[in-house]
Amino acid sequence: MSDTDGPIRILGIESSCDETSAAVVEDGRHILSNLVSSQDETHRPYGGVVPELASRQHLSKVGPLVAAALEKAGLSLGDIGSVAVTQGPGLVGSLLVGLSFGKSIAYACGIPLLSVDHLEGHIRSVYLEAHRPISHPAISLVVSGGHTSLFLMEEEANYRLLGKTRDDAAGEAYDKVAKHLGLGYPGGPILDKLAALGDAQRFPLPIAKISDGSEDFSFSGLKTAVLRETKRHEIVALRPDEKAENRRDIVDLAASFQRTVVETLWRRTDSAARRTGAKTILVSGGVAANRELRQRFAHLAQEIGIPVLFPSLSLSTDNAAMIAAAGYLKFLRKDYAGLDLTADVELRLGEQGVRRASRHL
Ligand code: KG4
Ligand code: ZN
């Protein structure tokens, strides 16, 4: 087993949803390899992830991917100091595949096992690439297909949940709207591309207000409003013989939808940043790949005078490098998982923090 004197190389394994990924990260910062096998083709005909199919694909992909990630890093299993696996949240059948595989490696090689919260993985993707120290307190927005959560980080690796979605995640709304318009799966990148061509003012869509004043999000109302507009204006789904770029109604609806999503995310993030005196805004998760979101956030954050940091595009969507990087923090604390580790689909990053904080008040 490697010890802390030499570089620590962590093998990361991610399989929480529909991407299988394996990576090797050295000392929590240097990505030696990061391979992702996407299942988009498998789930495309259904317009969303089919859990049973996802687990089966993980099962056939995880072994070869781990072998390929080691080979790309120029390493063998004997060079690995620890294995980090995603424990949750996610689809249980999918999680169990990566987790079991990681456990077996840890057991066979006699190296520590590290359990990682997928959301912390997304947040660590920003730290992984940061060129200079990140100032805290920071507001961290995780926005993906399964989550839309806002955290206050008083310091690095300290998370307090401020708000989360009460219904659909932002990425989920993208995927559902795209499905309704016959655009394909995953909807985020498709709508993002189309939105750049459209008139965002054409369809007035509502920004959800949370009446109890919390920093929660809600996107199901927006999705319903988009469906209502399609009925009102008789916008029919794209036919197989049509090009989406040539459908002015769909392009304008994509632009209006995207503008509303980005505006909603910004309003909540901005108010949390001002209220908490944040010195940095971090944005991560699949939707952080969105072009308009990156531009608007960068521009608006400049106006309020604090930096906004994103991971690179390849680290925005699910990947195992972020899991290895998050595992490294646990490795340093010797916070190892036992071989009885099981998946936890409802891991709640930062929620204990809320309870702890209120006890101290
Ligand atoms: O983080 P991720 O890979 O998986 C989850 O943890 O959910 O995020 C996937 C989500 C999908 O809903 C996808 O449509 C969305 O991220 N997404 C985007 C873009 N690229 C991916 N949403 C908006 N704009 C994009 N460019
Ligand atoms: Zn994710």
Side-chain angles (χ1 to χ4, degrees):
M1 193 208 303
S2 311
D3 57 29
T4 40
D5 293 340
I8 291 301
R9 295 172 188 126
I10 297 186
L11 172 67
I13 301 178
E14 155 65 30
S15 69
S16 65
C17 189
D18 62 341
E19 254 107 28
T20 324
S21 180
V24 181
V25 177
E26 190 171 271
D27 293 334
R29 282 204 73 87
H30 309 292
I31 301 177
L32 305 185
S33 61
N34 186 25
L35 304 181
V36 181
S37 168
S38 160
Q39 302 179 3
D40 288 352
E41 292 299 325
T42 305
H43 303 293
R44 188 160 290 138
Y46 308 96
V49 179
V50 183
E52 167 84 16
L53 295 180
S55 325
R56 286 172 184 274
Q57 284 241 345
H58 286 306
L59 205 50
S60 68
K61 297 284 182 200
V62 68
L65 264 183
V66 165
L70 286 169
E71 193 185 331
K72 178 135 198 253
L75 302 171
S76 65
L77 271 181
D79 302 312
I80 297 300
S82 185
V83 186
V85 293
T86 305
Q87 187 192 5
L91 301 169
V92 68
S94 290
L95 288 164
L96 288 173
V97 176
L99 205 142
S100 308
F101 200 81
K103 253 191 209 189
S104 313
I105 292 177
Y107 178 62
C109 299
I111 54 178
L113 178 70
L114 306 161
S115 72
V116 172
D117 184 308
H118 183 78
L119 269 69
E120 183 168 26
H122 275 302
I123 294 171
R124 289 312 298 179
S125 67
V126 184
Y127 288 82
L128 188 51
E129 294 184 314
H131 299 301
R132 54 180 75 95
I134 292 176
S135 303
H136 298 85
I139 287 294
S140 180
L141 173 68
V142 183
V143 63
S144 72
H147 306 274
T148 306
S149 303
L150 203 53
F151 298 94
L152 170 63
M153 297 176 63
E154 294 282 7
E155 56 193 59
E156 186 169 348
N158 174 309
Y159 311 98
R160 187 170 146 203
L161 183 73
L162 299 178
K164 62 180 177 180
T165 186
R166 295 191 173 181
D167 37 60
D168 292 349
E172 192 178 355
Y174 265 96
D175 295 337
K176 287 179 175 170
V177 165
K179 183 177 180 185
H180 183 72
L181 295 173
L183 298 175
Y185 174 84
I190 302 170
L191 284 167
D192 188 8
K193 244 188 178 161
L194 293 178
L197 311 170
D199 172 9
Q201 310 294 334
R202 176 154 167 210
F203 298 100
L205 296 169
I207 291 190
K209 288 205 174 62
I210 302 292
S211 53
D212 62 10
S214 80
E215 274 153 344
D216 279 347
F217 298 90
S218 165
F219 287 100
S220 85
L222 172 59
K223 177 196 64 195
T224 309
V226 169
L227 305 196
R228 217 173 23 241
E229 290 300 306
T230 60
K231 278 213 183 94
R232 182 179 302 159
H233 298 278
E234 295 177 351
I235 300 172
V236 294
L238 191 75
R239 286 194 311 267
D241 61 332
E242 286 180 316
K243 271 188 163 260
E245 293 79 0
N246 300 335
R247 282 280 305 270
R248 180 83 346 235
D249 50 359
I250 287 184
V251 165
D252 289 344
L253 193 52
S256 305
F257 167 73
Q258 176 151 293
R259 176 65 48 85
T260 311
V261 172
V262 171
E263 189 59 33
T264 306
L265 293 171
W266 174 255
R267 284 193 192 177
R268 243 5 138 255
T269 307
D270 175 42
S271 94
R274 288 174 197 267
R275 185 176 66 69
T276 59
K279 294 193 177 127
T280 315
I281 292 172
L282 314 175
V283 189
S284 59
V287 182
N290 187 271
R291 271 184 290 189
E292 186 171 340
L293 183 137
R294 284 177 178 249
Q295 281 162 8
R296 282 275 296 157
F297 269 55
H299 177 74
L300 292 166
Q302 213 170 22
E303 275 179 12
I304 61 170
I306 61 175
V308 58
L309 306 179
F310 294 90
S312 58
L313 289 182
S314 62
L315 290 189
S316 295
T317 44
D318 288 350
N319 67 89
M322 69 185 197
I323 301 303
Y328 182 66
L329 297 178
K330 287 196 160 181
F331 182 87
L332 292 179
R333 297 198 301 263
K334 293 193 168 35
D335 182 2
Y336 306 144
L339 286 176
D340 58 349
L341 180 73
T342 187
D344 184 345
V345 297
E346 290 193 12
L347 273 185
R348 295 195 168 100
L349 185 70
E351 293 195 28
Q352 281 101 347
V354 175
R355 285 197 288 275
R356 240 194 340 263
S358 56
R359 270 214 302 273
H360 287 306
L361 290 176

